[in-house]
Each structure stands twice: as C-alpha cells, then as structure tokens.
Amino acid sequence: MTCFASKYSKSSQRILSLLDDQCLTITKLKQIQSHLTVSGTLSDPFAAGKIIASFACHPTHSSHSYQLFIGSPRRTAYMWNTMIKVFTEKNEPTKALSFYKHMLAHGFFPNNYTFSFTIRASVDLTDLSLGLMLHAQVVKLGWESYDFVQNGLIHLYAICNATSASRQLLDESFSVDVVAWTAVINGCLKCGQVEVARHLFDVMPRRNEVSWGAMITGYAQMGFFKEALELFNDMLVAGFGPHHACIVGALTACAFLGALDQGRWVHAYVDRNGMELDTKLGTALVEMYAKCGCIEMAIWVFEKIPCKDVFAFTSLISALSNHGLSASAIQLFRRMQKEEVTPNGVTLICVLSACSRMGLVEEGLGIFRSMQSLYGIEPGTEHYGCLIDLLGRAGLLKEAELLVKQMPKEPDSYVLGALLNACRVHGNLEMGEAMVERIMQLSMAHGGVRTLLSNIYASSEQWEGVEKTRKEMEENKVRKTPGCSLIELDGVVHEFGAGQQSPVEKEEVMSSLLRMDKHLKSFWLDNDQSVRLTS
C-alpha cells in the first residue's frame, strides 16, 4: 500500500478505502469505478483487484466483475481467485474450474485460497477423478496442511462415496471442522455404514444442529426409526434446537413407529417456533398423521401447505386410499389435475390402487392407458400389479391373466401375487396352481405364496392339497414372515410380533386381552339379542 500511496493521489487512496465497506450499493460502486478510471488508478492491479472483488460480492452484478477482469491489463492471482470464487458461489462449478485451467495456462500458481474454491467446485460436480487431480496438486505445491484445504478434501471424498479416503484424511488431520466431520458421517450413511457413522458422531469433538440432523435423517432413511427418535430426544436434552432436516427426520420416524404423541409434540414445536410449512415439512406431517391413523389431521395439514407439489398430493392420495377413502383419493387426484400438478409414477400407483379398492375398472383402465400419452410415464411392474389386482377383484381373471402374458417386462412376485390372490378370492384353483408353479420357476416363491395356495385349496375344500402344501413348507423350512403390531403408550412405542413371547408384562397383557375378549363377546350377544327382539 506504501508503493501505491506514493504513486497515486490521496483522493484515490480515500476512494479505495471506501471499498472496505461491505454495504455499498451498486450506484456507489459504479461512482467509485468512474473515479478510479478517470484518475488512472484502475490500471493498478491492487485497485483493480479491490473493485472486482467488490462487484463480485453482489450476486446481480457478478457479471460486471467479469467484464472488469477481462479488461484488466495486469491480472494477479488475487483477481483469478476472486473470479473462481464468484462462479463457485453462483453454483457454476464448470466455469469456476475453467477459470482455474486458464489461470494455470497464464503462468499463475494456485494457493490455498484457490484450492479451497476449486475443491468446492469439484464437490458440486461430485467428480472424484478431478478431486484426485486437485489433491495431487495440493500436495505437490505444499498446501495440504491448511485447514480449508483439508476440510474441503475430506468433504469431497465423503460426497463421492470414497469413505476410506475421507476417513484416512480425517484421522491424519489436526484441525477438522464440524462441516468435514458431518460430511464423513453423511458419506458413511450413504454407503450403508450406519455403525461407523454413529461411532464418528459419538467421537466428534463438537456438534451443531446440522451434524445432529445428518445422523437423525440418516437413521430415518436407513429404516432405523427407533434410533432416529431416540437421537432426536437426545438432541433436545443437549440443548440444540432442531432445524428443518431434524424435524422431517423425526416426523418420518414417528410415522413408521406410529408414535402419535411425539409426532404431535414435533408439530407443536413447528407451530410454536413459527417454522415455515414448506412442501417437505408439510408432506412429512401429512404422512405422520396418516400413518398414525389421524386422517382428518392429515387432510387439515395438507390444506395448510401454501404451495402443494406432487409429493404432497401423492402423500395424501396414498393416505386416503389406505384408510378406505378411495373415492376421496380419486377426487383429490382430479383436483391435482385441475391445479396442473403433474403426477409421478408413485401417484399413479396410489390412484390405481384406489380404483382397485372401489372396483372402478373402466376408470382404472383409462388412467393406465393414458400414463404414457398424458404424463410420459412408462408403466412399471407395480402399475401392472395394481391393474391386475383391479381386474382380479372384479372377477375378470381371464383378462388379468392375458395382461400378465402381454406385459413387456417379466412379471415379478408383486404382479403374480396379485393374480394369485384374485384366484384365492374367486376360488379359481386351476389358475392358482399355475401361478404358484410359475412363481416357483422364477425363484420368487416365499412363505406368503405357499400360504395363499394353501388357502385356495382350503376354500375349494381340497384338503389333500392343503396337507400337501403345508407338508412341503415344513420340509423346505418355508415360513411366512411374521407380522407385527406397534402401540404407543405414554410416549413409548411397544412392538409385538406374531408368535413372539416377551416376558415383559406378559401376564398383564394376556389378562387385558382376555377382558377385552369377554367384553366384545358380551357386546355381540347383547347386540344379537336386540336384533331378535326388534325383528
């Protein structure tokens, strides 16, 4: 700055000092640029670098900084770094890396700031090969010990699923920030290494809301719903306020566990803290209430979502269909069409399922046939399965069988299982046997398929077939996957599995069930007696 002071006037020095103010308007910046241009100060690399950096801070005028950079006769590494930073922060990683290549071609050496931006651009592109090249250059030029560079490389490897490399760098680094730790945890979760991720979470020196949210969301996405909810409670005890991702993860866990009380508490927290009900949060609440049996609240939340997208509509359509409100589900689908929200493949599965439950054959066929022409969605095996279920429930077994044969894809257990179930309902033993044979040929047989065949034999009073099927199941050690039930009591979710004999409060549970059984039987007798008296 001393050299600059001797070369240019005091007025130019004073004008340049104004650029230290981060709150300058575009009008003032252009006035400063005009003064520097007229006075000739802009030809100085230091002055040019400062004005370029100031314009780069304004998202709407970053292109102006580019024009100044192009017009600068003497560029510096600081100017190159500024432009690389501009395009990185504008989410234009390809342009940022293009500038980096031109910087090297013009004979400028990158420094730790350059690498912090180029590595971030590689993260945005999830380009592991480019990241490896940058890592090699970092080591060659001796910048690997700088915190921003280390953290960036750890983040890069974690995002690109190179978990072993990210773990190695994490172990070798002395100053790793919470962002890098969280990135490695996320990387492990993406690769299914849940236990490793939890270990890293437990040993990380400092946590923030993002790291808590990463672990909670990861648990929920991997199906560890109980652990997700427990960790959510631990986060609250630790004094951290849950942010958006944490809330969505906790609601997902509540939905699958049927933890209505905790789900209501989370909803109250959202309202109490004035959190915006965007589509992601709104959809999570809809699913939570629907899966916990509160369909009225699910509808109420849905109507409160200001901008409903395909996921919000699909969530409620599915909920209405699963709650036996198929007519309402189809009505909501029509509303979705009127509001010009384009359905996705899952939406159409839910609508076809609703048509199946209501027996709306023509409407279901119409929706199925219009999938490709109206929405550009090629029917998948699940769509065929829904249509076959629709035809099967309506007793159109021949048409359903023909559709299976004409499918462009190989039918899976879902499709063949739908037809097999229709055979059971309508007592078509011959077709049912053929379906089981085909399922076995495709190596898709499981306990549920054998049980269905046994039930078909039983409904046709073919007791030899029942005995034969059961015997084959025993010999081949084929068992149907046992079902389970979840119940929430005093904020604690209890799970009961079919055939499970848990010693915890077993006698009290059995006693309660017996009392319920007696009560229901007495109610049935009283009701039956009143019917006879009035007849």
Side-chain angles (χ1 to χ4, degrees), residues 340-492:
E340 297 182 348
V341 178
T342 305
N344 57 25
V346 179
T347 316
L348 296 172
I349 290 171
C350 297
V351 176
L352 288 171
S353 179
C355 290
S356 176
R357 289 186 172 101
M358 288 189 69
L360 299 175
V361 177
E362 291 302 320
E363 181 147 7
L365 285 169
I367 291 169
F368 183 84
R369 289 165 181 160
S370 65
M371 284 177 61
Q372 188 78 50
S373 58
L374 283 181
Y375 310 116
I377 298 172
E378 183 181 350
T381 51
E382 288 190 333
H383 299 102
Y384 277 98
C386 288
L387 190 59
I388 288 161
D389 185 55
L390 169 62
L391 295 171
R393 286 179 187 238
L396 302 171
L397 297 182
K398 290 292 182 183
E399 289 82 350
E401 185 182 27
L402 181 63
L403 182 63
V404 171
K405 292 177 180 177
Q406 293 177 345
M407 277 178 63
K409 300 177 180 178
E410 188 70 32
D412 61 4
S413 59
Y414 180 78
V415 172
L416 298 176
L419 185 53
L420 180 59
N421 187 58
C423 294
R424 179 190 64 80
V425 172
H426 296 284
N428 193 321
L429 180 60
E430 183 181 349
M431 188 182 291
E433 288 178 325
M435 283 301 104
V436 171
E437 185 66 28
R438 186 168 182 182
I439 290 170
M440 291 176 68
Q441 287 176 356
L442 294 170
S443 301
M444 294 186 291
H446 52 77
V449 172
R450 301 274 190 164
T451 304
L452 266 177
L453 180 60
S454 175
N455 292 340
I456 293 172
Y457 280 127
S459 63
S460 303
E461 298 186 355
Q462 299 282 334
W463 306 116
E464 291 182 3
V466 173
E467 187 180 353
K468 179 185 174 185
T469 305
R470 295 288 179 181
K471 190 175 181 180
E472 287 177 352
M473 289 176 69
E474 288 179 9
E475 289 175 353
N476 295 315
K477 296 182 180 180
V478 176
R479 292 185 178 182
K480 185 180 178 182
T481 305
C484 68
S485 297
L486 298 170
I487 186 170
E488 185 184 25
L489 184 64
D490 297 329
V492 180

Side-chain angles (χ1 to χ4, degrees), residues 46-60:
F46 174 80
K50 286 203 75 171
I51 194 72
I52 288 170
S54 296
F55 274 108
C57 291
H58 289 266
T60 56

Side-chain angles (χ1 to χ4, degrees), residues 228-239:
L229 216 49
E230 287 174 352
L231 193 63
F232 180 78
N233 292 330
D234 291 342
M235 183 185 75
L236 297 174
V237 171

Side-chain angles (χ1 to χ4, degrees), residues 274-329:
M275 295 180 71
E276 181 188 358
L277 192 69
D278 61 10
T279 50
K280 200 166 187 179
L281 180 55
T283 302
L285 280 167
V286 168
E287 289 190 352
M288 185 276 293
Y289 279 118
K291 288 180 178 176
C292 290
C294 298
I295 191 65
E296 294 84 2
M297 275 300 298
I299 295 169
W300 184 84
V301 172
F302 174 81
E303 296 299 346
K304 292 288 182 182
I305 300 173
C307 185
K308 303 171 183 67
D309 64 1
V310 61
F311 301 106
F313 271 103
T314 302
S315 178
L316 188 56
I317 289 170
S318 174
L320 291 167
S321 179
N322 291 334
H323 280 77
L325 302 170
S326 297
S328 298

